[in-house]
Amino acid sequence: SDEGTSKPSRRVAYYYDQDVGNYTYYLGHPMKPHRIRMAHNLIVNYGMCDEEAGESEDGVRKVNDGTIGLLGGGVEEKMVRNELRGSRSKTMQVFRPRRATKAEMTRFHTDEYIEFLENVTPETADAMTGGGVRCLIGEDCPAFEGLFEFCSISAGGSLGGAERLNSGAADIAINWAGGLHHAKKTEASGFCYVNDIVLGILELLRIHPRVLYIDVDVHHGDGVEEAFYSTDRVMTCSFHRFGEFFPGTGDVRDVGMKRGKGYAVNVPLRDGITDDSFQSIFKPVIQHIMDYFRPGAVALQMGADSLSGDKLGGFNLTLEGHAECARFVKSFNVPVIMLGGGGYTTKNVARAWTKETAVMCGRELSEDLPYNQYMEYYGPRYKLEVLPNNTDNHNPPEYLEKIKVQVLENLRNLPH
Ligand code: V1P
Ligand code: CA
Ligand code: ZN
């Protein structure tokens, strides 16, 4: 933490669209955009948002969505607010992202695929996929109401954040609606349609010779890896559950090809991994990459399905262990765009992304949750915590050591 040190705090730009929580894949689908609104509501009620400076990227004054509590309007509240503004270090600028355009999306995806996403409706989905364009697949990626808008909000935040880092106006950008790492050039996969991460990284590559992608979602970041598999300008590094688990890729031996050989890093893990086990491999691998690859910017996917108790995940990370990844990446003082991703136990997703927003703001939060619109979700303890469970850790030290040695061995073969 930056508390009590003289380190200048980083300027943080936070991208949020108050419409995002209204999109639903379908009733009972595990991916719930509402979790982004829950996180936002906690973030606002912890007082992390700079209330004055917020502006949407197209110049329209931002609207703060229904917030209750701390920073209301009374005299006492005004004092709190001024104190916070006095140390700009503790709050962040809030932006409503512009909607990404079709032209922006086709910097990665094909015109045909993006047109399909724009035109498909829940009613026409079957006919359109039957017609030979295998774009949406089964239960995972339904054609839901407002799908294209949802994609343009997610991608707009990552593009806006990357541009803001490029301009030098911010050191850290946050887009919890982003991180949709499975989307392919011509195909939706694993709840992801438009790959906002690839678009953000392409933007960062305009000014940075090398960009690092780090993915702590419990799933393999296959879409981002594939997009940059044969270039040495982007190193992709995914930590994921491997072995009879979606999407099935991400073997430690998959290292990239052509000029990109050695620039894809995969850390396959077994279920039940704990904070200490995870950090025993995360830190040395990332440290080594920072030392030898020396990226000009980092895209950090913070999928919260690696937390203990996730509906789909199977890892055993606490809030501390998950947030430590953000803290460690921040410590290198390189521009970071921090993105969302998976996360299916929504109350814990909101907790994690709130804590990680605070980490980037250099702020420590009370364990007691502030009053917020979704208070009842957080009972019975109402704490900013995700506790470990008592499942077995199927990653013995020997296994982790073996994987670490293989990964570092792959990295040693890079030119440096
Ligand atoms: O396992 C599969 C596919 C569907 N079968 C044909 C194989 N899909 C997974 C997709 C997980 C996507 C994770 C996305 C992310 O990395 C980034 C946002 O977190 C899947 C699972 C599962 N347990 O792996 N889909 C579903 N569960 C599912 C369950 C209910 C309704 C719809 C989908
Ligand atoms: Ca991952
Ligand atoms: Zn995931």
Side-chain angles (χ1 to χ4, degrees), residues 39 42-43 48 176 302-307 317-320 322-324 326 338 342-343 345-359 365 369 378 383-386:
L42 264 183
I43 289 164
M48 284 189 263
W176 294 129
M302 292 297 295
D305 47 8
S306 40
L307 287 171
L317 299 186
T318 71
L319 212 52
E320 274 307 323
H322 198 266
E324 185 61 21
M338 182 165 70
T345 300
T346 56
K347 59 190 177 180
N348 290 342
V349 177
R351 286 176 165 118
W353 292 350
T354 298
K355 183 161 183 94
E356 287 145 14
T357 301
V359 163
L365 300 180
L369 295 176
Y378 304 103
K383 296 276 187 197
L384 187 64
E385 67 185 6
V386 175

Side-chain angles (χ1 to χ4, degrees), residues 200-219:
I201 292 173
L202 289 172
E203 187 65 39
L204 294 171
L205 286 171
R206 291 183 192 233
I207 69 157
H208 295 288
R210 292 177 309 283
V211 173
L212 170 63
Y213 173 63
I214 304 171
D215 185 316
V216 307
D217 190 290
V218 73
H219 299 97

Side-chain angles (χ1 to χ4, degrees), residues 368-381:
D368 296 315
L369 295 176
Y371 190 73
N372 68 91
Q373 281 185 349
Y374 308 102
M375 201 62 183
E376 69 276 13
Y377 291 49
Y378 304 103
R381 289 170 57 83

